Amino acid sequence: MKAHDGIYLDGAWRPALSRDLIDVVDPVDEQVIARVPAAGPDDVDAAVRAARTALPGWAATAPAERAARLTALRDALAARQEEIAETVTAELGSPIGFSRAVHAAVPIAVAGSYAELAASHGFEETVGNSTVLHEPIGVVAAITPWNYPLHQIVAKAAPALAAGCTIVVKPAEDTPLVAQLFAEAAHEAGLPAGVLNLVTGRGPVAGQALAEHPGVDLVSFTGSTAVGRVIGATAGAAVKKVALELGGKSANVILPSADLARAVNVGVANVMSNSGQTCSAWTRMLVHRDRYDEAVELARTAAAKYGDRIGPLVNAKQQARVLGYIEKGVAEGARLVAGSTEPPRERGYFVSPTVLADVTPEMTVAQEEIFGPVLSVLRYDDEEDALRIANGTVYGLAGAVWAGDEAEAVAFARRMDTGQVDINGGRFNPLAPFGGYKQSGVGRELGAHGLTEYLQTKSLQF
Ligand code: ADP
C-alpha cells in the first residue's frame, strides 16, 4: 500500500526526526501493508510551530477565501473517493461497500457542509451597543481514533479551518494511511503552508506531546474515556480549551406500541455496522417484558444474517477485549443467543455478530462500552423502568426510541440524558450537533455547533 515516509509539515512532506516506525496491518489477513513514521516530541514541536507561524495569516483571511479552500478540499477528497475507500478497507478491514458509502462519502459531505458554513456563518453580531466578533481560537490539536478514520479528522479539521484556526492532526496508529490521503487533499486544495500539519505517531508519545504543548490553544480529542480524562486534566491545568468525544452505551428503547420487527432489525444493523466500532452505536436494546422473547428471536435471526458480512475488528487487542466482554457477559448470567466467545476464523481479527439476552442493568455488558459487534438485550416492566435503565449508565452519547406514535417517542426522548436520539429510525444528519451528555464528552461536533467550538468572542463597545 502506498505510504509517505515523512510527516506533512509546513506545506511539504518532510522526514521525521524520530527514527521510530509504525507498522500498518491489514486486519483481514494480519499482514503488514505499509510503514509510516512514529513521530517524537521534536516532530510535534516543529508541527505546532509551523501551525503557530501560519496562524495570523490564515486567521485574517476573509471567510469567503476559507470557504473557497474548503470547497477545493471537498473536491480533492471527492476525486480520491475510491482511493479513500480502498485505503480504509486495507487498514481498518471494513467491507468495501461500507467504506465507499460511509468512510469515504460522509467526510466529503462534512467537508462540503463546512465550505458552506464558512461562507454563511455570522462571524460578527450586534448585541446592544456592542459588536461581538467571533474569532478563531488559535492552534488546534486534533487527536483522532481509528473507527471512522477520515470522518474523525474531517469533523475536526473542516470546522477548525472554517473558523480560521490552524491545525496539527495526530491520527490513530492503526489508520494513518487515510490521514495521509487527507493531507494530500489539503495540499492540493491550496491551503497555505503550515495551516494543516499531519504528524503520524503513537498516542503516549506524539499524542501526549501534542496535548501538552504550550503552543496549542485547543485540544480536540476523540477516543477512549480513559485517555480523554487525562487529556482533559492536562488541558484544564494549562487553562486550555478542550473538546472530548468519548465512549457511549446508547439505549435503543422499543416502546410497546412500536413496530417490533422494524425496530429490532434496524437496531441490530446499527450495532453490527462497522463491526460495532461506533461510539454512538445502540448497544443496549430495551424491550417490554411482554414482547421480550419475540424481540430476542428477531435479534437472533437478524444477527445470523450478518454472519460473514461484517469485517474484522481493527487489531488483535480489540478482538481479545471484545471476546473477553462476551465471556464476562456469559459468566455474569447473560444468555448467548447468537455469536460466540471464540473467533470465527483462524486468521484476521474477526468476532461473530453476537446477541446477549437476559442482560440486566448492573451487568458489565450493560454498563461498559464493548466496541464490537455485541448487542445486549434488556427487559423493562414499564416506561419509568425503561427510562431508569436508559439513563442508568455513565454515558449519554446517542440513542433511539421507537413507538407507534411519533409524539409518544418524542416525549420519551425528551427525558433521556443523551446528546442525540433517533426517532423511529430517523436518518443521520451531518449538520446536527453530535456529542455527549455526562461522561460521553465535552463539546459538540458537526454543523454550526461544531464550528462555534473553534471560535472565541471579543466584544467591542460603542
Ligand atoms: P481507542 O481505544 O479508540 O484506540 P484511544 O483513546 O487509545 O482510543 O486512542 C485515540 C487517539 O488517542 C489515538 O490517536 C491515540 O494514539 C491517542 N492517544 C492514546 N493515548 C494517548 C495519550 N496518552 N495522550 C494523547 N493521545 C493519546
Side-chain angles (χ1 to χ4, degrees), residues 244-248 391 393-398 413-421 434-444:
L244 304 171
E245 293 293 342
L246 309 175
N391 288 340
T393 76
V394 297
Y395 294 116
L397 189 54
R414 284 181 182 278
R415 299 171 73 197
M416 291 169 80
D417 302 332
T418 193
Q420 282 209 347
V421 184
F434 179 88
Y437 279 31
K438 301 192 280 185
Q439 289 182 30
S440 285
V442 176
R444 292 291 179 271

Side-chain angles (χ1 to χ4, degrees), residues 48-61 136-140 160 163-167 193-195 215 217 456:
V48 173
R49 278 194 282 122
R52 275 235 86 80
T53 305
L55 180 64
W58 183 246
T61 52
I137 199 151
V139 173
V140 171
C165 295
T166 58
I167 181 161
V195 168
D217 299 296
Q456 56 190 348

Side-chain angles (χ1 to χ4, degrees), residues 33-253:
I33 53 171
R35 287 193 174 82
V36 299
D42 292 343
D43 295 306
V44 169
D45 184 56
V48 173
R49 278 194 282 122
R52 275 235 86 80
T53 305
L55 180 64
W58 183 246
T61 52
E65 166 60 15
R66 302 202 294 268
R69 297 279 69 79
L70 280 162
T71 302
L73 175 62
R74 192 217 81 92
D75 292 347
L77 291 171
R80 288 177 161 72
Q81 187 154 5
E82 187 58 22
E83 198 184 351
I84 288 168
E86 284 168 9
T87 303
V88 175
T89 288
E91 62 187 352
L92 182 67
S94 54
I96 189 71
F98 189 77
S99 293
R100 288 188 184 117
V102 176
H103 291 300
V106 173
I108 293 168
V110 172
S113 77
Y114 280 109
E116 285 172 24
L117 277 163
S120 63
H121 191 77
F123 289 94
E124 255 187 64
E125 61 179 316
T126 304
V127 179
N129 63 315
S130 304
T131 296
V132 180
L133 309 178
H134 297 262
E135 298 187 334
I137 199 151
V139 173
V140 171
I143 302 177
T144 59
W146 42 262
N147 64 336
Y148 290 88
L150 182 58
H151 170 69
Q152 307 281 16
I153 293 172
V154 172
K156 299 184 190 312
L161 295 171
C165 295
T166 58
I167 181 161
V168 178
V169 178
K170 206 301 283 173
E173 292 86 324
D174 291 297
T175 52
L177 301 179
V178 76
Q180 291 190 337
L181 284 185
F182 176 73
E184 279 181 15
H187 187 85
E188 219 174 270
L191 287 177
V195 168
L196 180 123
N197 307 275
L198 175 77
V199 178
T200 50
R202 300 184 200 284
V205 182
Q208 194 176 328
L210 185 57
E212 287 174 351
H213 200 292
V216 166
D217 299 296
L218 180 152
V219 184
S220 179
F221 169 82
T222 300
S224 63
T225 300
V227 175
R229 229 182 266 286
V230 176
I231 288 180
T234 307
V239 198
K240 208 179 267 184
K241 199 174 166 193
V242 70
L244 304 171
E245 293 293 342
L246 309 175
K249 192 73 194 177
S250 296
N252 179 14
V253 182

